[in-house]
């Protein structure tokens, strides 16, 4: 188990393994996570990449900072392991495509840790739309909000607010929920999109804190979505203000 524009992968990996977490912190984190999970074997990041004890596991769950997923995926496929990768797959499209290519070349199973299409309520929603229960869809509205300081970590220096390690915030981390739910329920893909981002809080100086976007699908249906790393009330308030303007 591994926890935790084209970004500079060497910089990101060095920062993750030797700067931000350091060797001692790697050991401490490996032991803490191992104790929580009841794991018999615990590996630091360096030990994982070196292939230590790779005969002891069959698959790898990658939940490190976004811009390091490619490094861990390449090591995993080198060891012949299946991969469950947290979303987003990487910090940029180019690096995400490299993850896919590496798995294809190695014949390795790759799955992204995105759950909405497996949710019974969402699957039932798609069935109802297909059966015509709601008539012909014309507009889909979606909101996904989360206060990162309350639900993830109160640390203003966490990697999720670092552009090099995260690649973004509201759009790629939260905006995918209303977007992909709409894609799944409507069973169609976007043909155009437009949107705006906003980062009023000082801790979000490097990444997007709020995003509002509109997507048009192949079947003519429009989706209006809002995502924010703030409490829902604030996100909805900002969305209403933008529409009013």
């Amino acid at each position: 188990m591994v926890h935790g524009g084209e970004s500079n992968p060497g910089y990101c990996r060095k920062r993750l393994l030797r700067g931000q977490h350091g060797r001692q912190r790697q050991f401490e984190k490996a032991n803490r996570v191992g104790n929580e999970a009841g794991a018999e074997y615990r590996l630091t990041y360096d030990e994982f990449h070196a292939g230590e004890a790779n005969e002891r596991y069959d698959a790898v769950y990658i939940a490190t900072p976004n811009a390091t997923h490619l490094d861990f995926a390449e090591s995993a496929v080198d060891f012949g392991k299946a991969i469950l990768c947290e979303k987003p797959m990487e910090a940029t499209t180019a690096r995400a495509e490299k993850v896919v290519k590496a798995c294809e070349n190695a014949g390795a199973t790759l799955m992204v840790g995105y759950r909405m299409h497996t949710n019974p309520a969402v699957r039932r929603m798609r069935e109802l739309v297909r059966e015509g229960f709601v008539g012909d869809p014309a507009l889909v509205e979606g909101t996904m909000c989360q206060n990162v300081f309350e639900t993830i970590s109160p640390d203003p220096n966490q990697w999720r607010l670092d552009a090099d390690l995260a690649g973004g915030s509201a759009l790629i981390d939260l905006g995918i929920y209303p977007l992909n739910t709409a894609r799944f329920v409507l069973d169609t893909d976007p043909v155009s999109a437009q949107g705006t981002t906003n980062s009023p809080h000082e801790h979000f100086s490097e990444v997007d804190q709020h995003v509002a976007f509109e997507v048009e699908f192949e079947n003519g249906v429009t989706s209006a979505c809002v995502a924010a790393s703030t409490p829902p009330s604030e996100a909805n308030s900002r969305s209403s203000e933008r529409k009013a303007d």
Side-chain angles (χ1 to χ4, degrees):
M1 182 178 293
V2 180
H3 281 271
E6 180 88 349
S7 298
N8 183 328
Y11 165 79
C12 291
R13 180 170 171 180
K14 180 178 180 182
R15 181 172 181 178
L16 173 65
L17 298 181
R18 298 180 178 83
Q20 183 178 348
H21 291 285
R23 185 171 300 277
Q24 182 58 38
R25 292 190 65 184
Q26 285 188 52
F27 282 112
E28 293 173 356
K29 187 173 185 180
N31 285 325
R32 174 175 57 80
V33 175
N35 290 336
E36 292 173 354
E40 182 178 357
Y41 296 93
R42 295 93 187 273
L43 299 176
T44 65
Y45 297 133
D46 290 336
E47 290 169 341
F48 168 76
H49 286 295
E52 294 189 27
N54 64 45
E55 74 282 358
R56 299 290 184 175
Y57 56 90
D58 300 313
V60 175
Y61 170 42
I62 302 176
T64 56
N66 303 336
T68 66
H69 289 179
L70 175 58
D71 290 336
F72 286 95
E74 289 178 335
S75 291
V77 299
D78 284 345
F79 307 145
K81 308 302 180 183
I83 297 173
L84 173 62
C85 182
E86 264 300 331
K87 55 84 184 165
M89 191 179 296
E90 247 287 352
T92 69
T93 300
R95 288 178 62 79
E97 290 174 344
K98 290 181 179 179
V99 173
V100 174
K101 190 66 174 178
C103 292
E104 288 179 343
N105 291 341
T109 299
L110 170 64
M111 179 178 179
V112 176
Y114 176 78
R115 61 181 172 76
M116 295 305 294
H117 57 279
T118 66
N119 185 296
V122 175
R123 298 184 72 84
R124 178 56 178 156
M125 190 190 313
R126 183 171 68 164
E127 291 176 359
L128 292 174
V129 171
R130 285 178 172 178
E131 295 167 0
F133 182 80
V134 299
D136 295 326
L139 173 66
V140 177
E141 293 186 331
T143 300
M144 179 62 181
C145 300
Q146 174 180 270
N147 189 321
V148 67
F149 300 108
E150 293 182 357
T151 60
I152 304 298
S153 170
D155 184 4
N157 296 314
Q158 60 182 285
W159 66 262
R160 292 171 182 80
L161 305 180
D162 184 314
D164 288 324
L165 291 174
S169 182
L171 179 59
I172 66 172
D173 189 35
L174 303 175
I176 64 165
Y177 285 99
L179 173 60
N180 277 337
T181 299
R183 290 178 62 230
F184 182 75
V185 170
L186 298 174
D187 195 20
T188 185
D189 286 316
V191 294
S192 66
Q194 60 180 343
T196 59
T197 61
N198 186 27
S199 300
H201 197 286
E202 60 180 347
H203 294 332
F204 288 83
S205 61
E206 295 188 21
V207 296
D208 50 308
Q209 181 182 356
H210 304 145
V211 61
F213 58 95
E214 183 177 283
V215 175
E216 181 181 355
F217 291 96
E218 295 170 333
N219 58 6
V221 178
T222 298
S223 179
C225 305
V226 174
S229 294
T230 48
S233 59
E234 180 180 342
N236 291 332
S237 173
R238 290 186 178 278
S239 177
S240 300
E241 291 173 0
R242 187 177 290 108
K243 290 179 181 179
D245 292 341

